[in-house]
Amino acid sequence: MPDVKERAARKEPGAADSASRESRGGNTRESASSAQGHRSRRFNRRPSTAALTPGSAQGRGVQTAPRGPVGHGGLRTGLTSRCPQPSARAKLPPVTRGAPLPPSPGKGHFGGTPSSHRLGMMERAHDSSKLDCHLEERKLSSSSLEGKGKDTMPSDFWDHLKEQLSAVPPDFSCALELLKEIKEILLSLLLPRQSRLRNEIEEALDMDFLHQQADRGDLNVSYLSKYILNMMVLLCAPVRDEAVQRLENISDPVRLLRGIFQVLGQMKMDMVNYTIQSLQPQLQEHSIQFERAQFQERLNKEPGLLNHTTKWLTQAATQLIAPSTSCSDIQDSSSSDDPSPSDVAVPEPLSPAMVLSQGFLNLLTWDPSNEEFPETLVADRTRLQELESQQNQLTILASVLLVASSFSGSVLFSSPQFVDKLKRITKSLVEDFNSRPEEVMQTVSEQVTQEIHQSLKSMGLEALSSENTVSLVGQLQNIAKKENCVRSVIDQRIHLFLKCCFVLGVQRSLLDLPGGLTLIEAELAELGQKFVTLTHHNQQVFAPYYTEILKTLISPAQALTTKVGSL
């Protein structure tokens, strides 16, 4: 029966001789360590940002094995020698390394997804610039096998496939459908210039030829699976190495195909993530220009379109000139002697950056009944409300931790396990704080006090006295009041941290957090990144308008030396 190489020889003279020479050069199986070293060299050569991740071969410190046999054209053939040799009717072209490999896609992170209720071209363009660069695995079209994979395939398709392959004679209809889908995924992972690998996949998974083999009853599903697995070794990002290696130990053909299909779905999502991440700068720049042009068209038709924006910035400038002194004495007395990044968050003299940062912070406490919302931030109003809710919850969380630490001492709070558990308990309870603060804080006080008592007892420490217990419960319950001093100080410090993030960036702002915020550093980093992402994009879009408004609010000399768009 003509195999794949024989068909290739008929199509292209000399191909059979080349394949024969290649198989002679690499007919010795590599050992497991040599195969591992072979993959390590392949990943080290790949130009990739993902190759520097901890999951890469470099990060794992894999030892490079001596070079194996070299086949036709100086290409390594040891990879295919790991597969069991099939009968002549099922031979496939070996996986070669002649074509350049695609860059390994990395993973990006970008907070927020588009809100479905936003209408208008400018709003949609604005949202597109904030697309999450890292897509999680989601259900695809129900018409494809990928779309059915997570629901019907585990219970129906794979069981049916096993029954078909176990039948006498075997039925390959489901296997052919699966192989066709796998072939399409493999081809989708290739770059346009990878014509050699594309031709290999097309030749090895020639569906017409596979259908002929299935009709004769001699389709070798196990060997095809091994070939696909070897191709995945070439194409996957280093982060998928471990998953692919686990598949190599599966002997059952149905389980192997199922694992291959799942990992291929992850590899396809890696490529989508990489594509989105690489296009993000162009997408964001296009969005900035488009949004600005759309807003200018509206401004030409409505000369008073910036009235609310002007009032918003004027109020922010006024606050900086004559700042409120509420709780400032408490903050000064409770803060450490060492300077913190928040100290530089209010530079003197007044600058456009500080007016804008104060204005953005004011939006986190915006009265919902106030309809004079800045026109330049209408598209971000929902996101700002989400940030406000997240910031309020962090204020309550940090206040609870600060009060609890003052009663339980440093022994308990030096234990990361205790702090994490207390944070989980408090976070789950304060989700409903806005709707029923007193009831929520009563529950929080009971749970926190109980957790402190149990932890002190388990560590063999002295329990809280009844007097301290009553005082702890009372102080925790008082956090429900807006005028509570602990809550006010924490709220002010979080606002100062966000202002510092706007000016210095999140990482520099985290280097020296104000007192009382160190226990929620991870949560603050997430909040700060979302705040910076939103405000900086808005600033880039509307910088010309903000600059013109701020010229009237600060001295001309400062306006000339510090431009909004240059921040």
Side-chain angles (χ1 to χ4, degrees):
M1 195 63 61
D3 61 8
V4 176
K5 291 181 180 177
E6 292 172 356
R7 292 189 292 115
R10 290 198 298 269
K11 294 180 182 178
E12 181 178 348
D17 294 338
S18 299
S20 175
R21 287 195 300 271
E22 189 169 12
S23 62
R24 285 197 302 271
N27 58 2
T28 304
R29 276 188 201 186
E30 293 180 333
S31 64
S33 62
S34 177
Q36 176 63 42
H38 186 65
R39 285 193 297 273
S40 176
R41 287 193 294 276
R42 188 248 317 166
F43 291 136
N44 290 344
R45 290 198 305 269
R46 185 188 303 173
S48 168
T49 55
L52 300 179
T53 59
S56 66
Q58 293 167 318
R60 293 193 301 272
V62 179
Q63 297 296 323
T64 302
R67 281 193 176 274
V70 178
H72 176 63
L75 299 174
R76 292 289 305 280
T77 58
L79 188 63
T80 54
S81 67
R82 290 181 296 145
C83 299
Q85 295 298 321
S87 61
R89 67 170 184 260
K91 284 184 179 179
L92 294 172
V95 178
T96 59
R97 299 175 181 268
L101 295 175
S104 299
K107 291 195 173 185
H109 180 74
F110 211 78
T113 54
S115 302
S116 59
H117 68 278
R118 292 187 177 159
L119 303 175
M121 295 181 64
M122 190 180 82
E123 284 77 5
R124 288 196 293 271
H126 179 78
D127 288 335
S128 68
S129 68
K130 292 181 172 58
L131 281 172
D132 192 344
C133 289
H134 177 200
L135 298 177
E136 299 295 338
E137 280 191 86
R138 294 181 180 131
K139 198 177 297 181
L140 303 178
S141 171
S142 60
S143 61
S144 69
L145 289 178
E146 278 186 281
K148 300 174 182 176
K150 292 193 178 291
D151 293 330
T152 60
M153 286 183 68
S155 57
D156 298 335
F157 181 86
W158 300 111
D159 292 341
H160 189 50
L161 175 63
K162 186 173 183 178
E163 292 175 1
Q164 287 188 341
L165 296 181
S166 303
V168 180
D171 181 358
F172 297 106
S173 57
C174 284
L176 289 170
E177 184 182 358
L178 183 61
L179 289 171
K180 180 181 178 181
E181 188 104 6
I182 288 175
K183 175 184 176 182
E184 293 175 356
I185 297 176
L186 286 175
L187 293 176
S188 71
L189 298 176
L190 299 177
L191 297 178
R193 66 174 181 268
Q194 295 180 283
S195 57
R196 185 170 181 177
L197 281 178
R198 184 176 301 276
N199 292 337
E200 282 194 7
I201 295 173
E202 291 282 4
E203 189 75 19
L205 299 177
D206 184 342
M207 297 310 301
D208 292 336
F209 184 69
L210 296 183
H211 273 284
Q212 293 176 15
Q213 287 186 315
D215 293 339
R216 295 192 301 266
D218 58 2
L219 181 67
N220 194 328
V221 176
S222 296
Y223 185 67
L224 287 170
S225 300
K226 292 294 183 181
Y227 173 83
I228 294 168
L229 186 59
N230 288 337
M231 187 60 68
M232 291 168 61
V233 171
L234 283 177
L235 299 178
C236 73
V239 71
R240 302 298 174 195
D241 284 352
E242 185 177 351
V244 174
Q245 289 172 13
R246 286 198 298 265
L247 296 178
E248 296 175 354
N249 300 322
I250 299 177
S251 57
D252 180 69
V254 177
R255 285 186 56 217
L256 180 57
L257 282 173
R258 185 173 183 175
I260 285 174
F261 197 72
Q262 292 174 347
V263 176
L264 277 176
Q266 297 170 354
M267 291 170 59
K268 189 173 181 179
M269 196 59 63
D270 290 342
M271 183 59 71
V272 173
N273 289 331
Y274 172 74
T275 303
I276 294 177
Q277 184 184 23
S278 62
L279 292 176
Q280 190 68 20
Q282 295 88 336
L283 177 63
Q284 189 169 7
E285 180 60 29
H286 175 76
S287 172
I288 290 171
Q289 300 300 329
F290 182 78
E291 287 183 66
R292 187 182 298 168
Q294 291 291 313
F295 188 83
Q296 184 62 48
E297 288 185 12
R298 293 180 56 200
L299 185 60
N300 294 338
K301 298 176 182 178
E302 306 173 49
L305 187 60
L306 287 171
N307 289 346
H308 293 166
T309 301
T310 302
K311 185 176 181 179
W312 161 62
L313 292 176
T314 303
Q315 291 175 341
T318 303
Q319 285 179 289
L320 292 175
I321 295 172
S324 173
T325 57
S326 59
C327 279
S328 60
D329 295 336
I330 299 172
Q331 177 196 352
D332 293 338
S333 61
S334 59
S335 61
S336 61
D337 295 332
D338 297 330
S340 67
S342 60
D343 295 331
V344 300
V346 187
E348 294 294 342
L350 193 64
S351 69
M354 293 321 302
V355 176
L356 272 176
S357 64
Q358 183 63 45
F360 286 129
L361 287 171
N362 290 343
L363 296 176
L364 297 181
T365 56
W366 194 269
D367 184 0
S369 62
N370 187 351
E371 298 298 330
E372 297 182 347
F373 199 81
E375 299 90 346
T376 56
L377 284 144
V378 170
D380 283 313
R381 187 163 189 172
T382 301
R383 285 192 180 92
L384 287 165
Q385 290 173 347
E386 293 172 355
L387 289 180
E388 178 187 4
S389 176
Q390 184 177 353
Q391 184 260 323
N392 289 338
Q393 290 188 9
L394 288 184
T395 297
I396 302 303
L397 174 62
S399 300
V400 169
L401 295 176
L402 183 60
V403 170
S405 64
S406 66
F407 281 87
S408 56
S410 59
V411 178
L412 285 184
F413 275 80
S414 62
S415 168
Q417 294 79 8
F418 172 79
V419 174
D420 289 342
K421 186 175 183 180
L422 207 61
K423 286 168 66 173
R424 288 196 304 270
I425 294 174
T426 306
K427 283 180 181 179
S428 62
L429 295 175
V430 300
E431 290 180 355
D432 300 329
F433 180 84
N434 291 336
S435 58
R436 43 192 184 92
E438 290 82 7
E439 181 180 346
V440 166
M441 290 313 302
Q442 181 177 355
T443 306
V444 168
S445 64
E446 295 171 356
Q447 292 289 332
V448 169
T449 303
Q450 180 181 355
E451 187 61 34
I452 290 176
H453 275 297
Q454 291 177 350
S455 299
L456 289 173
K457 183 178 180 180
S458 63
M459 296 178 68
L461 300 175
E462 183 180 355
L464 292 178
S465 64
S466 57
E467 181 181 352
N468 285 339
T469 301
V470 172
S471 180
L472 173 61
V473 171
Q475 291 195 33
L476 290 174
Q477 292 180 354
N478 284 336
I479 296 175
K481 303 176 182 178
K482 289 184 178 181
E483 63 274 12
N484 178 263
C485 212
V486 174
R487 177 177 168 184
S488 298
V489 169
I490 293 295
D491 184 71
Q492 188 179 45
R493 290 178 179 177
I494 292 179
H495 275 77
L496 289 174
F497 167 77
L498 293 176
K499 187 178 292 188
C500 183
C501 289
F502 182 87
V503 177
L504 300 178
V506 178
Q507 295 304 318
R508 288 183 61 186
S509 304
L510 291 170
L511 294 178
D512 191 8
L513 287 173
L517 302 185
T518 54
L519 294 178
I520 58 168
E521 179 177 349
E523 293 80 2
L524 282 177
E526 179 185 355
L527 176 66
Q529 187 58 56
K530 290 180 179 179
F531 179 75
V532 168
T533 298
L534 186 151
T535 55
H536 281 194
H537 178 79
N538 180 273
Q539 184 181 347
Q540 288 178 296
V541 174
F542 300 103
Y545 310 104
Y546 293 153
T547 299
E548 291 300 318
I549 295 173
L550 291 172
K551 282 181 181 179
T552 64
L553 302 178
I554 61 179
S555 66
Q558 290 175 333
L560 290 175
T561 56
T562 314
K563 295 291 185 181
V564 175
S566 65
L567 296 176

